Amino acid sequence: MNEIATAAEESRFWDLIDTAWAHVGPQPDELRKGLADRQSDDEAFALDPHLPEFLARLRALTEQLSGAELTALDRVAERKLHDIDRADIQEVTDGSDDGFLYCRGFILAMGRDFYRAVSADPAVAVTDAECERFCYFFAHLHNERFGCFPETGSGISRESGANRAGWS
């Protein structure tokens, strides 16, 4: 089928992440926004204690979404995780197959600007920074609310090593 996310779905995805972080508070949100220009990885790890609240805020923001809307968000997450499934990024983030997936979850959870920065220059990534729960966040919400995991129809996998173009 190879369905792809629309520009509107991608925009909504990134907007939800930004809104959730804004609700966590100004200090963590500013720290997140400055990750690409950080002086050390310690700044990234300072966000670890805020990840559970970010995910709780994101969950609250999506409470009223339909199954189709959650599927669309999961399709965006799946595509974005797939696109940064690359050897040059794994070289910086480190990690086993699962560990690299969780590192990509962290990259995605930090928002559009950090995601784009890492995609353009893998050296911007953070070694061993992980957000496992974000990798399947929308899929798990869909399952909790509707009793099944979403069928994204993308024909791709978010698992490490699945993006053949990234590992040539």
Side-chain angles (χ1 to χ4, degrees):
M1 195 184 247
N2 291 338
E3 288 185 36
I4 59 171
T6 66
E9 291 166 344
E10 283 194 30
S11 180
R12 184 179 204 184
F13 175 86
W14 295 122
D15 289 347
L16 283 167
I17 290 171
D18 286 344
T19 302
W21 275 111
H23 284 101
V24 172
Q27 190 272 338
D29 193 33
E30 287 304 311
L31 186 57
R32 172 190 71 94
K33 288 177 181 175
L35 273 183
D37 300 318
R38 71 187 182 283
Q39 299 301 308
S40 76
D41 284 354
D42 292 341
E43 294 171 60
F45 291 112
L47 287 163
D48 280 354
H50 301 286
L51 286 170
E53 185 176 354
F54 158 71
L55 294 168
R57 299 290 183 156
L58 187 58
R59 179 185 196 83
L61 290 168
T62 61
E63 272 185 6
Q64 302 303 314
L65 297 184
S66 69
E69 290 170 308
L70 286 173
T71 298
L73 291 169
D74 190 50
R75 187 180 301 114
V76 173
E78 180 180 69
R79 169 57 64 188
K80 297 301 179 188
L81 288 166
H82 179 81
D83 288 349
I84 60 170
D85 176 23
R86 302 183 346 220
D88 58 341
I89 296 173
Q90 192 276 339
E91 208 172 282
V92 175
T93 62
D94 202 19
S96 63
D97 287 349
D98 285 345
F100 180 48
L101 172 61
Y102 307 156
C103 288
R104 289 181 285 131
F106 176 85
I107 293 165
L108 208 55
M110 295 301 107
R112 179 186 350 229
D113 292 340
F114 189 64
Y115 177 88
R116 286 181 176 166
V118 170
S119 184
D121 178 8
V124 172
V126 181
T127 303
D128 293 328
E130 299 181 352
C131 188
E132 177 183 356
R133 286 185 52 210
F134 195 75
C135 298
Y136 291 93
F137 184 80
F138 298 106
H140 285 289
L141 287 179
H142 189 284
N143 186 47
E144 288 172 24
R145 293 181 191 156
F146 303 104
C148 62
F149 287 96
E151 293 291 332
T152 64
S154 70
I156 61 169
S157 172
R158 65 192 92 203
E159 295 301 318
S160 297
N163 179 3
R164 290 186 189 141
W167 295 89
S168 56

